[in-house]
Amino acid sequence: MQDLIVRGKGFSLEPFSTSDLSLLSTLHAKSDANRFLSRSGKGWSQERTSEWLEKALIDQDRHGFSPFKLALDDQSFAGWAGFTALEETSEIALHYCIDPDVQELHPELLGKVSAELIEWFFETTYFSHLVDCVRTDDRDGRILAQSLGFSYRESRRIFDMPCDVFQRLSPSMQTLVASA
């Protein structure tokens, strides 16, 4: 049995295992699921999906966090959400991919999942801040980032895509900044 990371109202997050490759392959075969994950926005090959899962498993072992498997209360696979280390800036970024069909049925899900993940991240890690890299053409992503308390920091290319970088300070850093 896998370790539960977060249980929220209507969903749970847990680490991936190698047996989840077929779930990820089905998700990432959908081009609309990948719309903001790559420049092409096309469906991923089996090889690319396998490499993504392998990296997620390595990151989980190395850092204690990574993208996590997102399941609804009925245990159906809904996508993934979690964290990615950005090589470009050596920061940790909130990162997610929700099945478009699930997102349509549960439009509030991504906000709930993200809020729970942010709380888990700051309670579990020592990081002073978290970033959210939103492609410049992702209006909904920008709205979500701002609703989660992220503030615009800069525009830059991340994963070879034009992105706006939003930042959220940890609660302790927010207190420190407020008192300064």
Side-chain angles (χ1 to χ4, degrees), residues 27-45 48 100 135 137 159 161:
L27 171 66
H28 287 293
K30 301 176 180 183
S31 60
D32 51 344
N34 301 316
R35 181 173 173 205
F36 298 114
L37 295 178
S38 65
R39 269 189 332 160
S40 71
K42 295 179 182 174
W44 290 3
S45 67
R48 181 169 182 195
R135 271 204 9 198
D137 58 342
F159 304 120
M161 297 178 293

Side-chain angles (χ1 to χ4, degrees), residues 3 5 24 32 48 54 58 65 79 81 97 102 105 108-110 120 122 129 132-133 139 145 148 160 167 173:
D3 297 321
I5 300 299
L24 287 165
D32 51 344
R48 181 169 182 195
E54 185 177 327
I58 289 168
F65 58 83
C97 180
V102 172
L105 288 172
E108 75 294 337
L109 180 64
L110 187 53
W120 177 88
F122 287 129
H129 68 283
D132 189 1
C133 302
R139 186 179 70 84
L148 293 167
D160 198 33
Q167 176 176 292
M173 284 301 292

Side-chain angles (χ1 to χ4, degrees), residues 40-55:
S40 71
K42 295 179 182 174
W44 290 3
S45 67
Q46 180 79 10
E47 181 180 350
R48 181 169 182 195
T49 305
S50 181
E51 289 169 357
W52 184 93
L53 177 58
E54 185 177 327
K55 183 178 180 325

Side-chain angles (χ1 to χ4, degrees), residues 1 4-5 11 23 35 58-59 65 68 80 85 96 119 138 149 154 176:
M1 176 135 184
L4 181 68
I5 300 299
F11 70 91
L23 296 172
R35 181 173 173 205
I58 289 168
D59 286 349
F65 58 83
F68 301 114
W80 54 265
Y96 48 80
E119 184 176 332
D138 184 359
E154 66 183 314
L176 183 64

Side-chain angles (χ1 to χ4, degrees), residues 142-162:
R142 176 183 302 278
I143 292 168
L144 177 63
Q146 292 171 327
S147 74
L148 293 167
F150 286 86
S151 299
Y152 173 80
R153 188 178 81 190
E154 66 183 314
S155 295
R156 64 182 307 139
R157 293 191 76 76
I158 305 283
F159 304 120
D160 198 33
M161 297 178 293

Side-chain angles (χ1 to χ4, degrees), residues 42-169:
K42 295 179 182 174
W44 290 3
S45 67
Q46 180 79 10
E47 181 180 350
R48 181 169 182 195
T49 305
S50 181
E51 289 169 357
W52 184 93
L53 177 58
E54 185 177 327
K55 183 178 180 325
L57 294 172
I58 289 168
D59 286 349
Q60 175 62 41
D61 287 342
R62 182 179 296 149
H63 305 298
F65 58 83
S66 67
F68 301 114
K69 180 169 64 171
L70 173 60
L72 300 178
D73 278 348
D74 65 5
Q75 297 305 305
S76 61
F77 180 66
W80 54 265
F83 310 100
T84 302
L86 296 179
E87 292 176 19
E88 293 89 345
T89 62
S90 298
E91 295 173 293
I92 305 302
L94 180 65
H95 208 191
Y96 48 80
C97 180
I98 304 293
D99 186 304
D101 298 329
V102 172
Q103 182 66 22
E104 189 173 320
L105 288 172
H106 306 281
E108 75 294 337
L109 180 64
L110 187 53
K112 288 180 182 179
V113 169
S114 297
E116 291 283 345
L117 271 172
I118 292 165
E119 184 176 332
W120 177 88
F121 180 79
F122 287 129
E123 288 177 356
T124 309
T125 73
Y126 59 87
F127 291 97
S128 63
H129 68 283
L130 180 65
V131 297
D132 189 1
C133 302
V134 180
R135 271 204 9 198
T136 55
D137 58 342
D138 184 359
R139 186 179 70 84
D140 291 339
R142 176 183 302 278
I143 292 168
L144 177 63
Q146 292 171 327
S147 74
L148 293 167
F150 286 86
S151 299
Y152 173 80
R153 188 178 81 190
E154 66 183 314
S155 295
R156 64 182 307 139
R157 293 191 76 76
I158 305 283
F159 304 120
D160 198 33
M161 297 178 293
C163 294
D164 290 330
V165 178
F166 292 82
Q167 176 176 292
R168 179 168 167 179
L169 298 177

